[in-house]
Amino acid sequence: MKVKRIDSACPVKSKRILVVEDEDNTRHALTKLLTREGFLVEGVANGYDALCYLRRQSVNLIVTDIKMPTMDGITFLRELNKNFPKSNVIMITAYGGVDSYLEAMNLGAFEYINKPVQIDELKVIMKKILDAEGS
């Protein structure tokens, strides 16, 4: 796993984001876009890999898919609550429904976004989370 470094003059230089997404193209696209925004970004393919990563490295924000192999996003969110209860999480899905929305929100997700992810919408939500974290 390679963490992309950013220029030290960037105002969000210390904000670390973990993208948890099983679709390679989506994971790479989100990682690249968020890196261009000045964040330190890492991408992993499922909730299990994300938990392993989080045991080694803290992050400011997690953007995770819901439907993934090995460990899905809802199970991952439950594990986050047990092991990393103060995690900031944005859930994304192509299979949105009221039940998964309610479950994710009840488990503490900050927001729930349907795919395809609109980068401007994601940036607004991320700013709210990261600004609140800095307060």
Side-chain angles (χ1 to χ4, degrees):
M1 287 183 252
K2 185 176 179 184
V3 175
K4 296 174 173 100
R5 302 268 174 214
I6 59 170
D7 183 90
S8 61
C10 184
V12 293
K13 67 182 177 185
S14 62
K15 301 298 182 180
R16 189 175 297 274
I17 298 172
L18 180 63
V19 175
V20 187
E21 168 62 64
D22 63 313
E23 294 177 17
D24 290 342
N25 290 339
T26 303
R27 183 176 63 251
H28 293 305
L30 282 172
T31 300
K32 192 173 189 176
L33 286 166
L34 295 174
T35 299
R36 282 188 195 150
E37 292 295 319
F39 297 100
L40 297 171
V41 185
E42 180 63 48
V44 296
N46 60 61
Y48 177 80
D49 291 346
L51 289 171
C52 291
Y53 179 84
L54 291 168
R55 287 184 184 101
R56 296 186 318 272
Q57 178 66 59
S58 63
V59 299
N60 300 92
L61 176 64
I62 301 165
V63 179
T64 183
D65 193 5
I66 289 182
K67 189 169 181 169
M68 297 179 289
T70 310
M71 180 185 289
D72 65 53
I74 295 296
T75 303
F76 172 57
L77 195 52
R78 283 189 186 108
E79 290 299 315
L80 280 176
N81 286 337
K82 290 179 199 171
N83 298 293
F84 307 96
K86 295 184 180 186
S87 298
N88 296 311
V89 180
I90 298 172
M91 305 294 289
I92 59 175
T93 186
Y95 307 96
V98 174
D99 290 342
S100 64
Y101 169 82
L102 291 173
E103 188 168 15
M105 299 310 280
N106 286 333
L107 289 169
F110 187 87
E111 190 61 77
Y112 182 101
I113 303 173
N114 289 308
K115 289 182 183 177
V117 174
Q118 302 299 315
I119 195 66
D120 289 337
E121 176 187 11
L122 181 60
K123 286 171 25 180
V124 167
I125 295 165
M126 289 174 59
K127 182 174 177 8
K128 285 181 191 175
I129 292 170
L130 297 173
D131 284 353
E133 182 184 65
S135 316

